[in-house]
Amino acid sequence: MRQKLVIIGNGMAPGRMLEHLFELAPDLYEITIFNAEPRVNYDRIMLSPVLSGEKTFEDIVIHGDGWYIRNGITLYKGHRITAIDRAARTVTSDQGATAAYDRLIIATGSVPFILPVPGADLKGVISYRDLDDVDAMLLAAQSRETAVVIGGGLLGLEAAAGLKARGMDVTVLHVMPSLMERQLDPAAGYLLQRSLEARGIKVMTRAKTQALLPDAQGKVRAVALQDGTEVPATLVVMAAGIRPNAALGRLAGLEVNRGIVVDAHMRSSDPSIYSLGECAEVGGQVYGLVAPLYEMARVLAGELAREVTGAEPAPFVHQDTPTKLKVTGIDLFSVGDFADGDDREEIVLRDASAGIYKRLILKDNRIIGSVLFGDTGDAAWFTDLKKKATDVTDLRDTLIFGQAYQGGAALDPTAAVAALADDAEICGCNGVCKGTIVSAITAKGLTTLEEVRAHTKASASCGSCTGLVEKVMQLTLGDRFQAQAVKPMCGCTTHSHDDVRRLIKAKQLKSIPAVMQELGWSSSGGCAKCRPALNYYLVADWPGEYEDDYQSRFINERVHANIQKDGTYSVVPRMWGGMTSAAELRAIADVVDKFAIPAVKVTGGQRIDMLGVKKEDLPAVWEDLGKAGFVSGHAYAKGLRTVKTCVGSDWCRFGTQDSTGLGIRLEKFLWGSWTPAKVKLAVSGCPRNCAEATCKDVGVICVDSGFEIHFAGAAGLDIKGTDVLGLVPSEDEAVETITALIQMYREQGHYLERIYKWAKRIGHDEVRRQIMDDRDRRRAYFDRFVQSQAFAQTDPWSERVSGKDKHEFRPMAVLGLEAAE
Amino acid sequence: MNAMTRDWIEIGLLTDIPKEGARVVKTPAGCVALFRTGEDEVFALDDRCPHKGGPLSQGIVHGRFVTCPLHNWVFDLATGLAQGADEGAVATTPARVEGGRVYLARSVLARRAADD
Ligand SMILES: Cc1cc2nc3c(=O)[nH]c(=O)nc-3n(C[C@H](O)[C@H](O)[C@H](O)COP(=O)(O)OP(=O)(O)OC[C@H]3O[C@@H](n4cnc5c(N)ncnc54)[C@H](O)[C@@H]3O)c2cc1C
Ligand code: SF4
Ligand code: SF4
Ligand code: FES
């Protein structure tokens, strides 16, 4: 008599298992399947195309009714198993059917995670797991009203795209700062958000759902967020995650952790019961993508067929599974580990205008992760290299271009670029294509990167395409082109920024001419690139000794205002921590009237900007502002610009600390000393982060237990969330820590390099080590900053009101026509 | 001396202009920038960049060059010609230093405003 095999659940995992089993041992078992869903096995992954209308349910059926009949399987559709009697070896369904087993397989998949918020059980609130959910969404979509999807992961975004395609107005609420944060790095998450928004899907990140609100009929009408926002919705799709459906295992007394615990051969704690799929936990892991489930299916089929094959199947081993988003028109792929780390290197290719972002993460010359956006053609190849842990040293130069560019024996890093068409865009910022660069090189006889930049603007903006431009040059010039090993500071020297900074200290160079002389500058007076950089390095390294060379400063820092396109200036007075008063506002209004200032604007840093001031008027404007107590806001400085704050515990019901006070204290303490590039801070009174502290150079998030210090954020040409530096218990320590961080940056940063770039270059962990772990060093940095401040904290405006640099603001002579006589 | 007064207009002292800096002279036809190099040479150029009108007097002076403050074009102070890949020229006016005083050629008054 054949053994009885009973399977609970008819999803993708057991379906695949049976296919293998029938190959290995077609007649070994008499098979019975119970499935709570009233249907055959279908491709759950493809529900999204059904939702969006690109496919029908018939298209995604894996095993039709005929398959069950042909294989002699008894399938109970719409039967949910409610009890397992391990002693009697039987299972019983909610419809009263009972079946005996010799071997039992539990394959009950997952259940959607429903947020435990009020209103989660309202009408109009559904999850996204099976065909019934899709049908419910399609019904709701007929109204063409508003849908909210809670959860910006794979499921949520697919639901959102599908609903949008069906004509609904869709908003995605995601609790984390960037979409699909578990699969994507923030850069790709950002691109993804942009392309969803371009399709008319609204995305709200850091959106924490507090409750679902009912209308009079008890149907959902809106989602209430913790910050008080209400997002209207007639349909709410909860896609906030899944949980292994291990309830039956628990009920039956099997060992259950997150999922039903099985060994590498899918055996549970009861020798006649197996489990596979999302409900199973192997080696401490549970899975939510089909690739590992299919691997489980292979193992279990081999296990069940053992008495026929006589062989033990290879055990299940963990593999990272790639993620792809199945939204038509959005190509996105990620696999493996893509966190930053000291022992990792990365290769990045960005093409902003084409919407392409590729990032490979290497460790010991092996790919350990990749994120591809916009062009996922090489996903398979990268995954393969990763899986096989191939040493990519020899491929490195061309790796990011993908497999097509990998030649046979000799690897040519220019082959990729050679293969590009003439109209392929090389520089995204400036829209320069390959053909333009090639013809400029030939027509004008260019041989250096600087020349190519000057003539074509290629790689002259963000510089991320520099490598490509150099390859185009190499192709066009052949041996005449020599890529430089170190990137010199500018055309006047062969030394890099790092070299120059090192030599200034080592050789005790204390003036610009001394640097130029000792380090062999090739130009007489430097250029507009190296002069300000050298001036900064000398100011920072020899405080009190070196005298600032004003003529080496950019005009804004010479006249303490920002030059505008028409040669007029803008004036921004300091408003400590963004606080102001009626008297201050009145003084500003008076100045605006008196000097007929054409535009007044509120800035992103919580200041007021007066635009269009004539240069001659600057000292008089400052004088009037000074009388009202204003000092320069340094809106022009490579130094501390602004400390943005929220109202914190003074006013806000959520505030945990006096964020405004801390912001003012930081601003008063830190203003003055020059830094490599501008520095912007923010202090938020609680994690709701109203001051947007997590995209600043340095940010503080107040919490009950103290002050969480963040650093290395960016929100300009690049977008980057901050990293946490550490948590400190007191305000004093927060000030000391932040000051030390800024001093470290002052001593190590390249001129014009923002904190996030500097920190990336030297490693975030290194910063933490020096500032958080090494108290003595932190203190030493702090003391050096204080020393520098002794020479730097003078208000430049009042100095100029009292006559300093008069010549800057007055013409040397005014010639009238009478002089012609 | 006579020739001096007829063809040259005295503007002021050399020391009125910062080394590696510039001052502005207003004329009926627009502003002229008077540059002083590190070697105490003086040059006069229209204070208007041919690119987008930036005030060259506000730029950084290096060697015998000035870099426009708006978009970094570089001009030769002696010839007024844009350097590198940029094409354009600024009108120059003869200038001279004698006895610590700076003089501009009288022709500065006859010149036409750049293009305003
Ligand atoms: C919309 C969507 C898109 C997805 N996209 C992807 C993707 O792109 N890539 C990818 O790899 N994965 C994707 N997944 C995940 C993938 O579909 C699942 O990992 C896979 O289907 C899980 O298979 P399973 O057999 O473990 O469970 P399931 O397929 O969930 O099957 C479990 C079955 O058991 C039944 N059941 C539960 N309890 C009982 C009970 N007590 N008695 C009887 N029957 C019961 C359920 O009704 C269900 O039919 C997606 C999932 C969804 C919902
Ligand atoms: S960040 Fe500040 S303003 Fe915003 S909720 Fe928290 S304490 Fe209130
Ligand atoms: S984003 Fe900034 S740099 Fe760009 S135009 Fe606006 S003000 Fe100018
Ligand atoms: S205006 Fe002078 S460089 Fe643009």
Side-chain angles (χ1 to χ4, degrees), chain B residues 6 8 11 14 20 31 48 53 66 70 78 82 89 91 95 97 113 116:
Chain B
R6 203 175 59 241
W8 298 91
I11 302 296
L14 174 67
E20 297 190 298
C31 291
R48 207 182 143 77
V66 63
L70 292 195
V97 186
D116 38 14

Side-chain angles (χ1 to χ4, degrees), chain A residues 305-448:
Chain A
R306 241 159 106 167
E307 42 199 89
V308 174
T309 60
E312 170 164 324
F316 177 86
V317 279
H318 168 81
Q319 291 275 348
D320 285 336
T321 305
T323 308
K324 278 186 156 183
L325 183 69
K326 301 177 306 297
V327 172
T328 309
I330 297 184
D331 291 321
L332 179 138
F333 171 90
S334 95
V335 66
D337 186 349
F338 45 82
D340 283 329
D342 275 352
D343 53 346
R344 284 127 197 244
E345 297 173 87
E346 54 173 16
I347 306 177
V348 177
L349 181 132
R350 274 178 217 270
D351 184 339
S353 58
I356 291 177
Y357 171 83
K358 301 188 189 185
R359 176 154 170 251
L360 295 175
I361 298 86
L362 309 183
K363 187 173 165 180
D364 304 329
N365 290 315
R366 286 167 173 82
I367 298 181
I368 60 165
S370 60
V371 180
L372 307 177
F373 188 94
D375 172 8
T376 54
D378 283 300
W381 187 61
F382 291 141
T383 309
D384 189 53
L385 290 174
K386 171 177 172 298
K387 219 184 204 157
K388 297 187 176 134
T390 310
D391 186 328
V392 296
T393 312
D394 296 338
L395 309 171
R396 259 194 91 126
D397 288 347
T398 56
L399 192 59
I400 196 89
F401 299 114
Q403 190 172 24
Y405 296 125
Q406 312 303 321
L411 283 168
D412 179 2
T414 55
V417 180
L420 293 176
D422 269 356
D423 63 358
E425 195 173 69
I426 299 279
C427 172
C429 291
N430 294 299
V432 188
C433 56
K434 181 181 159 194
T436 313
I437 301 176
V438 172
S439 50
I441 294 174
T442 29
K444 301 191 176 156
L446 312 179
T447 55
T448 67

Side-chain angles (χ1 to χ4, degrees), chain A residues 119-421:
Chain A
D121 52 355
L122 289 174
K123 263 205 300 198
V125 181
I126 57 174
S127 55
Y128 187 17
R129 181 71 196 173
D130 58 26
L131 187 68
D132 299 323
D133 297 326
V134 172
D135 287 339
M137 283 191 246
L138 291 179
L139 196 67
Q142 286 174 359
S143 71
R144 307 203 170 250
E145 287 179 323
T146 51
V148 164
V149 176
I150 300 178
L154 186 122
L155 271 188
L157 297 182
E158 291 190 7
L163 290 169
K164 184 76 203 171
R166 295 290 186 168
M168 288 193 91
D169 176 50
V170 184
T171 304
V172 176
L173 304 178
H174 191 51
V175 70
M176 301 302 287
S178 75
L179 294 174
M180 289 182 74
E181 75 287 343
R182 275 184 301 170
Q183 294 89 8
L184 298 182
D185 57 11
Y190 168 73
L191 285 174
L192 173 59
Q193 179 168 345
R194 264 200 347 202
S195 35
L196 290 168
E197 284 165 349
R199 286 149 190 267
I201 296 172
K202 283 169 249 164
V203 178
M204 296 170 72
T205 54
R206 297 180 202 270
K208 197 148 190 222
T209 302
Q210 191 160 45
L212 307 184
L213 308 177
D215 64 9
Q217 286 80 48
K219 224 181 138 294
V220 71
R221 77 170 160 81
V223 179
L225 301 183
Q226 219 163 56
D227 67 3
T229 318
E230 277 187 22
V231 189
T234 51
L235 171 72
V236 173
V237 179
M238 286 244 193
I242 53 170
R243 297 284 178 273
N245 182 8
L248 272 182
R250 228 171 255 122
L251 205 65
L254 298 176
E255 188 186 342
V256 175
N257 201 2
R258 274 198 291 165
I260 298 172
V261 176
V262 296
D263 66 10
H265 289 92
M266 305 300 121
R267 294 177 287 227
S268 77
S269 55
D270 177 331
S272 35
I273 303 182
Y274 303 82
S275 179
L276 89 165
E278 287 183 343
C279 60
E281 176 178 324
V282 199
Q285 297 251 20
V286 292
Y287 294 88
L289 292 169
V290 291
L293 309 188
Y294 283 169
E295 180 63 10
M296 294 181 193
R298 177 194 63 76
V299 175
L300 181 53
E303 184 67 25
L304 292 175
R306 241 159 106 167
E307 42 199 89
V308 174
T309 60
E312 170 164 324
F316 177 86
V317 279
H318 168 81
Q319 291 275 348
D320 285 336
T321 305
T323 308
K324 278 186 156 183
L325 183 69
K326 301 177 306 297
V327 172
T328 309
I330 297 184
D331 291 321
L332 179 138
F333 171 90
S334 95
V335 66
D337 186 349
F338 45 82
D340 283 329
D342 275 352
D343 53 346
R344 284 127 197 244
E345 297 173 87
E346 54 173 16
I347 306 177
V348 177
L349 181 132
R350 274 178 217 270
D351 184 339
S353 58
I356 291 177
Y357 171 83
K358 301 188 189 185
R359 176 154 170 251
L360 295 175
I361 298 86
L362 309 183
K363 187 173 165 180
D364 304 329
N365 290 315
R366 286 167 173 82
I367 298 181
I368 60 165
S370 60
V371 180
L372 307 177
F373 188 94
D375 172 8
T376 54
D378 283 300
W381 187 61
F382 291 141
T383 309
D384 189 53
L385 290 174
K386 171 177 172 298
K387 219 184 204 157
K388 297 187 176 134
T390 310
D391 186 328
V392 296
T393 312
D394 296 338
L395 309 171
R396 259 194 91 126
D397 288 347
T398 56
L399 192 59
I400 196 89
F401 299 114
Q403 190 172 24
Y405 296 125
Q406 312 303 321
L411 283 168
D412 179 2
T414 55
V417 180
L420 293 176

Side-chain angles (χ1 to χ4, degrees), chain A residues 90-131:
Chain A
T90 57
V91 298
T92 307
S93 82
D94 57 352
Q95 317 272 342
T98 296
Y101 65 82
D102 296 304
R103 297 187 185 202
L104 175 67
I105 298 173
I106 306 178
T108 44
S110 290
V111 283
F113 175 65
I114 302 296
L115 291 177
V117 293
D121 52 355
L122 289 174
K123 263 205 300 198
V125 181
I126 57 174
S127 55
Y128 187 17
R129 181 71 196 173
D130 58 26
L131 187 68

Side-chain angles (χ1 to χ4, degrees), chain A residues 12-29:
Chain A
M12 301 183 68
R16 176 59 65 91
M17 190 282 294
L18 287 173
E19 289 176 10
H20 287 303
L21 182 62
F22 293 147
E23 274 170 32
L24 296 173
D27 300 315
L28 196 56
Y29 294 96

